[in-house]
């Protein structure tokens, strides 16, 4: 399949002129993306670095939109001062809004957007996200993840839209269109990174070799998570058993399940793809020439550039960095995310070319692809965005959009006696559970920090605040469910602990004992019990469910918790449906033909009022 080349003649002439003018070292610099905490002042200019990124939590201090704009602007300025003045592309993970930045609109994570099945909504979210990202001078977003989670024990399940390739393709295409807006060279357009190529969500349990318990003291990436002694406990619970593992599937399955969203996103104009840490039948994706070059660039006609994931090339041949670099570049990686030792990478790549392990043609192809994206984005003409955009960061309009997304993402899965929606004249409502008043719990991972956190991590409306605003004077709250009075209705909010990536791989998907105790207390004191779950994936709740009159999957809704209140109080209908299967027992994980679902993909009770109501 051939895509129309994204550049006109003038743009192509600029790229070819630069290629002729650039030294080998400058070309290697363009192929390098360090993390901002590693970059020494002046090195963007000196080494002609092509990109800098903020990893999860790579924030300035203070962490404000203005400080972000200043921080990024300094790198852009350094790039313009390099010998050829090639503009720099700054990259962030804005996977559910500009989520590293305090004060931005945090949208529901992708699994929730999958439950809306609303491509126009996802496009509008992409557009709003692009505006808030561009406000901070950032023009590259490592999103959308088009991961198709096969084993829901995976810590990245919530980053994908779901398990239906057609739905994921539609939403990925819509999000890319949203990031683009009117045109790629509009200064509010943001380059998407479709990730992680390919079959990142199909790995087998126990196949990941990411974590070496005996080498934790030298693992700089895991140190960023600052997990402390809790890390060993997470490893015992299954952390890093799936993520970055091996996808043992045949090519027909890989093509049928995992390829369609990439085709759709490329047809929508995406000019960057991020390679996956994972392997396919034992061969690391970062060294997979057939898939990265023959399939992605050849068969799909991808004219953009492939970026590696974080230090991922180092995993190809541990201890032999020269081979890591040569094999990754020869496989089709065009830009390398080198969070720490970026000069070592540049020197190794130059040496690999000089000794013939990497050809000059391959280097020119990689740099041509990178420069093409920068020309398409108009970076040579408008190197910085309009500072007036800072006014839209976290604005009422974007928060209203996020609230709409929350409403449309809720999935009602049990509603005995039609207890929901609650009637407006319910005398007093008990809201229970610490998660009901915890911004961190409702945002989940990839929020302000890589792993996310608890408490007021960023401005927003908790579910409790939503109820208090809607029912002034008629809401009682108990974090642990210990109450003396009886209530006609109790709304108990439970949640998963926030997590990101392999840190969230779990052998068991269940509510913790403390929350189960809270639920038991509320059950005792209420005539009707409504349970709202904040989670990045289905949990095994089969045994507890009969005790609940109603059950709502709220996923990870983000900052606008009043979207939950809107629907539970009947101000908007339940319309969400599952974008993943909901397993009945742990024995049904991962999915097989024999797996039993509690609810199938597509399930969800709607409460749209018909004319007959
Ligand atoms: C992470 C993730 C990837 C992210 C990148 C930069 O390890 O795998 O999704 O975009 O590093 O933060």
């Amino acid at each position: 399949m051939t895509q129309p080349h994204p550049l006109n003649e003038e743009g192509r002439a600029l790229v070819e002129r630069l290629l002729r003018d650039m030294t080998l070292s400058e070309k290697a610099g363009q192929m390098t993306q360090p993390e901002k905490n590693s970059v020494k002042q002046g090195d963007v200019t000196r080494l002609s670095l092509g990109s800098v990124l903020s990893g999860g939590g790579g924030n300035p201090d203070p962490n404000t939109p203005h400080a972000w704009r200043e921080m990024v602007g300094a790198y852009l300025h350094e790039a313009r001062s390099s010998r050829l003045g090639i503009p720099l592309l700054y990259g962030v993970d804005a996977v559910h809004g500009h989520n590293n930045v305090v004060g931005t609109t945090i949208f529901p994570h992708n699994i929730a957007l999958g439950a809306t099945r609303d491509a126009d909504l996802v496009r509008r979210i992409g557009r709003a996200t692009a505006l808030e990202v561009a406000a901070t001078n950032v023009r590259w977003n490592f999103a959308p993840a088009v991961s198709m989670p096969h084993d829901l024990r995976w810590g990245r399940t919530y980053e994908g839209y779901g398990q239906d390739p057609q739905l994921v393709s539609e939403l990925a295409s819509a999000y890319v269109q949203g990031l683009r807006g009117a045109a790629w060279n509009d200064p509010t357009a943001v380059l998407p990174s479709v990730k992680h190529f390919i079959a990142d969500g199909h790995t087998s349990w126990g196949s990941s070799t990411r974590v070496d318990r005996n080498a934790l003291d030298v693992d700089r990436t895991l140190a960023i998570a600052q997990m402390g002694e809790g890390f060993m406990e997470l490893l015992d619970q299954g952390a890093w058993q799936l993520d970055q593992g091996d996808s043992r599937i045949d090519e027909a399955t890989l093509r049928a399940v995992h390829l369609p969203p990439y085709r759709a996103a490329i047809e929508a104009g995406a000019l960057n793809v991020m390679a996956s840490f994972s392997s396919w039948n034992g061969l690391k994706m970062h060294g997979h020439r057939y898939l990265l070059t023959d399939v992605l660039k050849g068969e799909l006609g991808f004219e953009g550039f492939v970026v590696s994931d974080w230090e991922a090339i180092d995993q190809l041949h541990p201890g032999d960095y020269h081979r890591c670099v040569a094999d990754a570049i020869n496989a089709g990686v065009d830009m390398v995310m080198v969070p720490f030792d970026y000069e070592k990478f540049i020197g190794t790549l130059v040496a690999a070319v000089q000794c013939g392990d990497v050809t000059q043609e391959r280097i020119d192809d990689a740099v041509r692809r990178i420069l093409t994206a920068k020309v398409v984005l108009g970076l040579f003409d408008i190197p910085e965005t309009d500072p007036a955009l800072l006014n839209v960061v976290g604005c009422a309009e974007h928060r209203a959009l996020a609230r709409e997304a929350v409403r449309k993402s809720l999935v009602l899965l049990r509603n005995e006696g039609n207890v929901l929606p609650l009637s407006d004249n319910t005398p007093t409502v008990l809201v229970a559970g610490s998660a009901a008043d915890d911004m961190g719990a409702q945002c989940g991972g990839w929020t302000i920090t890589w792993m996310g956190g608890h408490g007021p991590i960023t401005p927003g409306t908790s579910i409790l605040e939503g109820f208090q605003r809607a029912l002034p004077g008629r809401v009682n709250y108990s974090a642990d469910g210990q109450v003396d009075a009886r209530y006609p209705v109790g709304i108990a909010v439970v949640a998963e602990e926030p997590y990101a990536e392999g840190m969230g791989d779990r052998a068991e998907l269940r509510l913790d004992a403390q929350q189960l105790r809270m639920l038991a207390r509320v059950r005792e004191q209420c005539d009707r019990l409504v349970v709202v779950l904040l989670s990045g994936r289905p949990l095994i709740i089969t045994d507890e469910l009969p005790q609940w009159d109603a059950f709502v999957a709220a996923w990870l809704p983000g900052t606008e918790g009043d979207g939950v209140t809107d629907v539970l109080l009947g101000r908007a209908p339940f319309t969400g449906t599952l974008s993943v299967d909901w397993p009945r027992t742990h024995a049904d994980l991962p999915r097989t033909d024999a797996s039993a679902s509690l609810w199938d993909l597509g399930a969800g009770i709607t409460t749209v009022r018909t004319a007959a109501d």
Side-chain angles (χ1 to χ4, degrees):
M1 170 180 296
T2 54
Q3 298 293 328
H5 194 278
L7 278 186
N8 60 24
E9 276 313 304
E10 182 189 351
R12 293 173 82 150
L14 169 59
V15 168
E16 296 309 317
R17 176 176 63 75
L18 285 169
L19 275 172
R20 285 194 300 274
D21 293 348
M22 291 168 82
T23 65
L24 174 58
S25 181
E26 288 168 332
K27 291 175 181 175
Q30 271 303 301
M31 296 168 67
T32 307
Q33 180 189 57
E35 209 276 341
K36 68 105 180 167
N37 288 318
S38 309
V39 183
K40 292 187 287 298
Q41 187 160 6
D43 274 1
V44 169
T45 303
R46 182 171 66 89
L47 300 169
S48 184
L49 297 176
S51 175
V52 172
L53 86 142
S54 280
N59 307 329
D61 183 12
N63 183 356
T64 65
H66 188 272
W68 265 87
R69 185 177 174 86
E70 292 294 301
M71 172 184 80
V72 176
Y75 294 114
L76 303 183
H77 180 76
E78 275 209 31
R80 288 199 297 275
S81 310
S82 64
R83 186 177 76 88
L84 294 171
I86 296 172
L88 177 133
L89 249 181
Y90 199 95
V92 297
D93 295 276
V95 295
H96 63 141
H98 198 356
N99 42 246
N100 285 328
V101 187
V102 172
T104 59
T105 311
I106 303 297
F107 294 93
H109 269 294
N110 282 354
I111 194 169
L113 301 184
T116 73
R117 281 173 169 67
D118 186 336
D120 179 64
L121 171 74
V122 171
R123 183 188 53 75
R124 287 183 283 135
I125 289 172
R127 184 79 306 255
T129 302
L131 289 170
E132 297 201 21
V133 166
T136 59
N137 256 323
V138 175
R139 299 286 308 276
W140 185 6
N141 180 6
F142 305 129
V146 294
S147 315
M148 307 281 288
H150 176 71
D151 188 334
L152 299 174
R153 293 174 292 183
W154 188 35
R156 308 199 76 165
T157 293
Y158 67 79
E159 294 186 60
Y161 294 109
Q163 295 173 321
D164 171 1
Q166 178 58 37
L167 174 66
V168 174
S169 299
E170 283 170 13
L171 299 186
S173 176
Y175 188 77
V176 166
Q177 292 169 46
L179 287 184
R180 180 196 66 215
W184 286 117
N185 63 358
D186 179 305
T188 68
V190 172
L191 180 72
S193 183
V194 195
K195 69 185 187 180
H196 309 80
F197 190 84
I198 192 169
D200 54 342
H202 220 126
T203 58
S204 299
W205 184 267
S207 66
S208 177
T209 55
R210 168 65 185 80
V211 172
D212 176 356
R213 288 182 183 234
N214 303 316
L216 290 179
D217 56 328
V218 294
D219 194 319
R220 290 177 288 187
T221 294
L222 294 180
I224 289 173
Q226 297 171 345
M227 298 304 295
E229 70 287 345
F231 184 56
M232 301 311 281
E233 195 178 313
L234 287 181
L235 290 176
D236 294 340
Q237 291 172 15
W240 301 103
Q241 287 297 314
L242 271 172
D243 194 33
Q244 306 189 17
D246 189 22
S247 296
R248 297 159 182 162
I249 53 178
D250 61 25
E251 183 159 355
T253 303
L254 181 135
R255 285 179 172 274
V257 173
H258 300 282
L259 205 52
Y262 289 94
R263 185 177 282 113
I266 290 166
E267 284 170 5
L271 284 174
N272 179 252
V273 164
M274 185 181 292
S276 176
F277 280 111
S278 57
S279 304
W280 180 42
N281 295 330
L283 183 55
K284 280 274 177 191
M285 277 310 305
H286 277 76
H288 213 294
R289 180 186 169 80
Y290 169 65
L291 289 174
L292 288 178
T293 297
D294 301 347
V295 174
L296 176 62
K297 296 177 177 178
E299 191 179 321
L300 268 61
F302 179 58
E303 297 280 357
F305 68 101
V306 173
V307 66
S308 82
D309 205 332
W310 181 284
E311 252 188 340
I313 71 167
D314 300 48
Q315 296 180 11
L316 293 181
H317 309 286
D320 184 346
Y321 192 59
H322 179 93
R323 277 183 71 204
C324 290
V325 171
D327 282 6
I329 301 301
N330 288 334
V333 172
D334 301 304
M335 181 181 281
V336 178
M337 193 182 292
V338 196
F340 310 111
D341 306 323
Y342 52 96
E343 284 204 80
K344 177 185 172 189
F345 168 71
I346 291 170
T348 306
L349 181 54
V350 168
V353 176
Q354 289 168 340
C355 75
D357 287 345
V358 174
T359 64
Q360 186 64 56
E361 289 68 28
R362 177 72 268 274
I363 296 294
D364 286 352
D365 173 49
V367 176
R368 181 176 291 112
R369 289 171 178 271
I370 294 165
L371 295 178
T372 293
K374 292 184 175 182
V375 173
V376 166
L377 283 173
L379 298 184
F380 287 85
D381 304 321
I382 304 177
E384 297 212 18
T385 64
D386 181 353
L389 279 171
L390 285 169
N391 297 322
V392 306
V393 176
C395 66
E397 183 189 344
H398 289 177
R399 290 184 186 272
L401 173 61
R403 185 171 177 173
E404 174 192 349
V406 174
R407 289 197 295 265
K408 292 180 173 178
S409 68
L410 303 182
V411 184
L412 179 60
L413 292 164
R414 181 181 172 89
N415 194 22
E416 295 301 294
N418 292 326
V419 61
L420 290 178
L422 302 179
S423 68
D424 258 334
N425 54 21
T426 306
T428 307
V429 170
L430 172 65
V431 175
S434 57
D437 194 26
D438 183 341
M439 188 54 58
Q442 70 188 49
C443 289
W446 294 104
T447 314
I448 314 305
T449 61
W450 181 39
M451 295 285 286
H454 282 289
I457 60 172
T458 193
T461 304
S462 71
I463 293 171
L464 173 64
E465 286 164 341
F467 275 101
Q468 288 169 331
R469 285 183 193 166
L471 304 173
R474 291 156 54 192
V475 176
N476 283 2
Y477 173 59
S478 166
D480 62 6
Q482 297 195 62
V483 290
D484 299 328
R486 281 205 61 80
Y487 293 84
V489 177
I491 296 156
V493 182
V494 289
E496 278 195 293
E497 273 297 303
Y499 53 79
E501 302 190 43
M503 293 287 194
D505 293 352
R506 289 285 182 281
E508 302 225 324
L509 302 180
R510 60 175 78 252
L511 291 170
D512 62 39
Q514 183 179 5
Q515 295 189 98
L516 290 173
R517 283 194 297 274
M518 180 275 291
L519 288 173
R521 294 187 194 112
V522 177
R523 174 73 280 175
E524 284 303 305
Q525 297 300 112
C526 296
D527 300 339
R528 315 304 294 279
L529 171 60
V530 175
V531 175
V532 177
L533 172 62
L534 301 176
S535 68
R537 56 199 161 189
L539 300 186
I540 305 301
I541 54 164
T542 309
D543 296 342
E544 292 83 8
L545 187 65
Q547 291 296 311
W548 307 344
D549 294 293
F551 173 59
V552 178
W555 315 112
L556 296 170
T559 48
E560 308 314 306
D562 36 14
V564 176
T565 315
D566 293 341
V567 180
L568 265 64
L569 293 179
R571 291 160 186 182
F574 281 99
T575 57
T577 55
L578 293 181
S579 65
V580 295
D581 281 334
W582 197 292
R584 182 175 292 277
T585 70
H586 284 97
D588 299 310
L589 292 164
R591 283 165 65 200
T592 66
D593 294 343
S595 291
S597 299
L598 191 56
W599 296 289
D600 291 332
L601 186 152
I605 301 166
T606 59
T607 58
V608 177
R609 295 191 189 291
T610 61
D613 283 348

